[in-house]
């Protein structure tokens, strides 16, 4: 995980930081172009050769006015990304786009603590930039990544291991159901809702987007509207992130075993539209659902849950979600008619009536417990969790 701190550059420092972002993006994109030009028999230049090419390009061009260490670091950054792609852990490196992927890396960054709340960070050619300490800095911060978001905020992040969560075993287990109405429903009957945009904010967003559509491309006023939209969206994303962090910490503190649905969220988002040969059905309805799933950040919640559970011996079990919504948690009868509507579960065999999400969460918990009873993991395995067969036949 990364420890991220807000940076507060002085007005005259912003230009320098933006310049570094442009340089890093330019060098990254050049390296990507070079890698794309690879053909058998014509090897791409290695790191040493490219580094020499960069030094040569810096002589007599505008690149020379920028920071050499920022530009060289962009090359190393790219090599790392390429290595990660070959290693199969990450996606193929993409083009960096202006306004979207703004950032650069600083190696051997010097951080000086001013007091309990503030520190300064030395950025080449820019000087000391003020940094707000919202949490203790990790020891030995080697590489720092400075980024700008679309709302115009600057951050610096250091990679650091996930801090251990202090907890005492509770002997309790829980099943979690991901939904659209409630973000997460627990088998204990709790409904957790990720914060949504308020009606006032939604109205403001709509008005801003209408205004944006009328404004002339490239105009100052349009840029101002864009920035206002970005600020609104950034606030929404911050709240969602906060919800996820708080929810996952309290779940990991309260439960020794957490069973979740093994939903492949990414596949769900992709599959709705289908392909040209096999177009999807119900595209519009699924798009709405997909938007809700993405908005509620279930995959991010899952990831943070696993990260945190791994530090303190909590087990996270991913169970196959097939039939969890149609299976009666009391008698085990499974049929589609059990689900009366989106909200209510009513068993056709035994008459058990419950909230549909709570019933599903109970089934997920039962499946998770079955896995551990069969000699599954007694400790968390981290991100790649235990996978199981369908819960009901
Ligand atoms: Zn039943």
């Amino acid at each position: 995980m990364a420890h991220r701190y807000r940076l507060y550059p002085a007005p005259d420092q912003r230009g320098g930081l933006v310049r570094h972002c442009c340089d890093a993006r330019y060098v990254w994109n050049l390296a990507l172009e070079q890698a794309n030009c690879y053909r058998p028999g014509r090897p791409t230049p290695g790191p040493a050769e490219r580094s020499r090419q960069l030094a040569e390009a810096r002589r007599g061009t505008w690149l020379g006015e920028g920071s050499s260490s920022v530009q060289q670091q962009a090359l190393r950054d790219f090599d790392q990304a390429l290595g990660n792609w070959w290693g199969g852990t990450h996606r193929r490196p993409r083009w960096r786009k202006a306004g979207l992927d703004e950032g650069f890396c600083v190696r051997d960054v010097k951080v000086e603590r001013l007091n309990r709340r503030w520190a300064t960070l030395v950025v080449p050619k820019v000087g000391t930039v003020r940094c707000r300490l919202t949490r203790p800095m990790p020891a030995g911060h080697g590489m720092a990544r400075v980024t700008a978001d679309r709302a115009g905020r600057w951050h610096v992040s250091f990679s650091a291991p996930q801090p251990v969560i202090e907890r005492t075993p509770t002997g309790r287990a829980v099943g979690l159901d991901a939904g659209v109405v409630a973000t997460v429903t627990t088998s204990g009957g709790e409904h957790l809702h990720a914060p949504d945009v308020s009606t006032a904010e939604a109205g403001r967003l709509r008005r801003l987007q209408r205004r944006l559509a009328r404004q002339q491309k490239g105009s100052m006023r349009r840029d101002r509207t864009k920035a206002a939209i970005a600020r609104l969206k950034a606030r929404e994303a911050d709240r969602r992130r906060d919800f996820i962090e708080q929810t996952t910490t309290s779940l990991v503190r309260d439960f020794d075993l957490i069973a979740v649905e093994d939903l492949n969220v990414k596949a769900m988002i992709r599959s709705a539209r289908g392909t040209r040969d096999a177009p999807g059905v119900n595209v519009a309805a699924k798009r709405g659902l997909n938007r809700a799933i993405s908005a509620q950040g279930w995959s991010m919640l899952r990831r943070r849950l696993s990260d945190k559970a791994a530090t303190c011996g909590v087990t996270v079990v991913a169970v196959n979600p097939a039939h969890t919504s149609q299976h009666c948690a009391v008698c085990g009868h499974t049929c589609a008619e059990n689900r009366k509507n989106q909200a209510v579960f009513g068993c056709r065999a035994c008459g058990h009536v419950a909230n549909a999400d709570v019933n599903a969460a109970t089934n997920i918990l039962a499946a998770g417990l079955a896995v551990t009873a069969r000699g599954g993991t007694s400790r968390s395995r981290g991100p790649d969790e235990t996978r199981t067969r369908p819960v009901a036949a």
Side-chain angles (χ1 to χ4, degrees):
M1 73 167 294
H3 281 197
R4 204 166 71 126
Y5 306 86
R6 179 92 182 259
L7 283 181
Y8 290 87
D12 62 328
Q13 291 178 325
R14 285 174 184 269
L17 294 177
V18 169
R19 171 71 207 256
H20 285 343
C21 290
C22 294
D23 286 357
R25 183 175 66 238
Y26 182 78
V27 171
W28 169 286
N29 284 341
L30 274 184
L32 178 59
E33 196 178 335
Q34 230 171 25
N36 284 347
C37 286
Y38 168 79
R39 298 283 175 279
R42 195 180 61 189
T44 43
E49 167 62 13
R50 246 187 356 206
S51 180
R52 195 195 58 74
Q53 287 178 357
L54 176 61
E56 199 182 294
R58 282 175 54 81
R59 273 195 290 279
T61 63
W62 56 270
L63 266 180
E65 291 156 25
S67 157
S68 164
S69 75
V70 165
Q71 293 165 10
Q72 293 282 0
Q73 197 55 54
L75 283 182
R76 280 192 283 265
D77 206 16
F78 177 78
D79 285 336
Q80 174 86 48
L82 207 60
N84 289 343
W85 175 49
W86 283 332
T89 54
H90 289 68
R91 289 198 303 174
R92 189 192 177 106
R94 293 172 306 157
W95 299 107
R96 291 239 162 118
K97 287 185 189 150
L100 280 183
D101 321 285
E102 297 290 18
F104 61 92
C105 290
V106 187
R107 208 151 68 150
D108 301 324
V109 69
K110 285 187 198 68
V111 179
E112 198 182 336
R113 230 179 110 142
L114 299 178
N115 53 41
R116 201 163 57 85
R117 301 189 157 195
W118 292 95
T120 57
L121 185 83
V122 180
V123 178
K125 294 217 170 188
V126 172
T128 54
V129 181
R130 291 207 311 155
C131 168
R132 182 82 162 83
L133 294 177
T134 35
R135 65 163 100 182
M137 280 260 178
H141 24 69
M143 174 89 85
R145 184 165 175 81
V146 176
T147 52
D149 66 12
R150 275 189 270 184
R153 300 177 302 181
W154 291 89
H155 289 95
V156 60
S157 52
F158 305 95
S159 65
Q162 167 70 38
V164 172
I165 291 177
E166 299 294 333
R167 73 187 293 278
T168 43
T170 56
R172 293 164 67 202
V174 74
L176 305 181
D177 178 60
V180 175
V181 182
T183 314
V184 176
T185 300
T186 69
S187 49
E190 239 186 311
H191 301 281
L192 309 172
H193 296 270
D196 212 347
V197 277
S198 69
T199 323
E201 279 173 331
R204 182 167 148 72
L205 185 64
R206 240 188 344 264
R207 279 194 302 280
L208 284 170
Q209 276 166 341
R210 261 201 304 262
R211 190 189 298 167
L212 188 77
R214 282 197 304 268
Q215 282 167 331
Q216 200 135 52
K217 280 207 174 140
S219 72
M220 295 276 273
R221 282 162 190 254
R222 191 168 199 271
D223 286 349
R224 271 206 295 278
T225 311
K226 257 175 150 171
I229 292 175
R231 274 197 300 277
L232 209 62
K233 290 197 167 167
R235 204 179 309 151
E236 186 197 336
D238 285 350
R239 277 201 299 247
R240 210 158 50 225
R241 198 175 301 135
D242 201 43
F243 163 81
I244 288 174
E245 292 298 334
Q246 291 190 20
T247 307
T248 47
T249 297
S250 82
L251 283 170
V252 164
R253 282 228 173 92
D254 290 351
F255 300 100
D256 291 353
L257 178 120
I258 302 168
V260 294
E261 286 172 289
D262 192 4
L263 288 181
N264 189 345
V265 177
K266 235 182 218 160
M268 281 173 76
I269 292 168
R270 278 210 204 105
S271 66
R273 209 174 296 162
T275 58
R276 184 186 278 181
D277 298 325
V281 287
N282 264 337
V283 175
K286 277 185 196 162
R287 204 183 290 144
L289 179 69
N290 287 342
R291 217 175 273 149
I293 292 169
S294 319
Q296 303 202 333
W298 174 242
S299 61
M300 183 171 167
L301 194 142
R302 276 274 312 273
R303 196 169 58 240
R304 297 299 292 137
L305 200 60
S306 303
D307 289 351
K308 290 179 183 179
T311 67
C312 53
V314 170
T315 312
V316 177
V317 190
V319 304
N320 188 319
H323 307 299
T324 46
S325 61
Q326 300 170 5
H327 181 82
C328 173
V330 173
C331 73
H333 178 66
T334 304
C335 71
E337 286 76 43
N338 279 352
R339 188 73 176 259
K340 287 194 167 167
N341 54 44
Q342 192 61 34
V344 181
F345 180 91
C347 180
R348 283 300 185 91
C350 76
H352 171 62
V353 177
N355 175 290
D357 292 336
V358 176
N359 180 69
T362 310
N363 287 330
I364 291 162
L365 172 61
L369 287 172
V371 176
T372 45
R374 279 206 305 269
T377 50
S378 59
R379 278 175 37 80
S380 173
R381 281 195 180 174
D384 49 346
E385 298 136 349
T386 329
R387 279 159 210 277
T388 61
R389 308 211 55 83
V391 60

